[in-house]
Amino acid sequence: MNGMQLNSPVLITGASHGLGMATASVLASEGVPLALCARNAAPLNEFAEKLRAEFDVPVATRALDVNDTELMVEFVHEAQRRLGDLKGLVANVGGARGRSIVDTEPDDWAYSLSVNVTSAMTALRASLSQLRRTGGAAVLVSSISGTKPSPGLAYGSTKAALNHAATVLGRELGPAGVRVNAVAPGSMLIPDRNWDRLRLADPGRYEAFLEEFPNRELLDPRDVAEVIAFLLSDKAKAINGAVIPVDGGQNAPSAYGY
């Protein structure tokens, strides 16, 4: 057990695949009620049914785009009505548009900032009164690209902003009993996602990328999820305002340069 109080719900954004799904599974296995959101209803609801059947935990779901501020706030309040005050928040959704400075338009910057930073701040702000009452914690999912350079200017820059937000919020909200930390995962091998597609489409480049890892393996999302669960738990009460790298010692964040 990671020390989560049972019957204390956690809200996870981007919960229908990859790290969000792995985090939900880890928490559900410990009896934690969950509020899960993602853009596509079908896979989200299918996953929620699986968690209910396997772990007998309450799971509230909502299909939404985290960039829709009104819907994000509504879901935070809906989660409270259905499950009680939140004990934890995992702001997991991420993405970006544009690559180099030349091909990144102002709208690309706006989108990247919204999906990586503003959506996380919206969810945290909306859930803050609940987290204060429960003495809860938030984990902001950043990236190795927030501290190590790789192609994708807007992605890395906005993840760096998320890291900074965690350090500021740890100070700002600590007096209210709310902890905020960021987790910076390395490259994860997720079925039918970027690095898995590279593995199948370009085995030579993928094998070269493995040299960036001391153990020549990309990360399993569950290993990152275990760290997130720990940071949400009371056992991590001394960790606040930190950016925790969970990258297996990875060097370059990308198979495509730098």
Side-chain angles (χ1 to χ4, degrees):
M1 300 290 288
N2 275 304
M4 290 294 298
Q5 295 179 3
L6 298 185
N7 301 317
S8 301
V10 172
L11 188 151
I12 304 172
T13 67
S16 64
H17 69 274
L19 180 56
M21 179 179 283
T23 303
S25 296
V26 168
L27 293 173
S29 72
E30 299 182 356
V32 178
L34 296 169
L36 308 179
C37 63
R39 282 180 298 181
N40 298 319
L44 178 65
N45 292 331
E46 181 180 352
F47 176 53
E49 281 300 322
K50 179 182 177 183
L51 293 178
R52 295 184 190 108
E54 186 171 353
F55 301 113
D56 192 27
V57 293
V59 183
T61 63
R62 182 81 172 267
L64 59 85
D65 185 334
V66 295
N67 293 314
D68 188 322
T69 299
E70 183 176 347
L71 289 182
M72 187 71 252
V73 172
E74 283 180 3
F75 183 56
V76 169
H77 297 319
E78 177 187 343
Q80 180 190 33
R81 291 193 300 271
R82 295 177 62 180
L83 303 172
D85 281 342
L86 294 173
K87 176 74 171 180
L89 168 69
V90 182
N92 170 64
V93 169
R97 291 177 181 163
R99 191 166 176 83
S100 70
I101 184 66
V102 173
D103 65 15
T104 305
E105 302 288 344
D107 286 349
D108 297 325
W109 281 106
Y111 172 83
S112 302
L113 182 65
S114 178
V115 73
N116 288 324
V117 182
T118 308
S119 69
M121 298 303 102
T122 297
L124 180 54
R125 186 171 185 263
S127 60
L128 190 53
S129 60
Q130 300 179 49
L131 296 175
R132 282 174 172 154
R133 287 192 290 269
T134 60
V139 175
L140 313 178
V141 177
S142 176
S143 168
I144 185 175
S145 296
T147 56
K148 298 181 180 182
S150 66
L153 177 61
Y155 181 76
S157 298
T158 51
K159 288 297 189 178
L162 196 64
N163 288 344
H164 183 72
T167 65
V168 172
L169 290 167
R171 294 276 186 163
E172 180 180 325
L173 302 181
V178 177
R179 294 183 299 107
V180 180
N181 295 291
V183 164
S187 301
M188 293 176 281
L189 189 60
I190 298 170
D192 199 33
R193 297 290 165 170
N194 186 31
W195 302 123
D196 187 44
R197 292 170 183 165
L198 176 68
R199 180 179 64 88
L200 299 174
D202 191 344
R205 185 184 288 270
Y206 182 80
E207 284 296 317
F209 186 38
L210 293 180
E211 294 297 329
E212 303 294 341
F213 300 81
N215 66 350
R216 289 186 51 80
E217 289 183 3
L218 272 69
L219 298 174
D220 184 328
R222 187 176 179 89
D223 292 333
V224 183
E226 294 281 2
V227 176
I228 292 173
F230 171 72
L231 289 173
L232 292 172
S233 77
D234 295 334
K235 289 185 178 182
K237 64 182 181 179
I239 305 176
N240 187 29
V243 179
I244 310 294
V246 189
D247 58 19
Q250 182 178 356
N251 185 26
S254 174
Y256 300 106
Y258 306 171

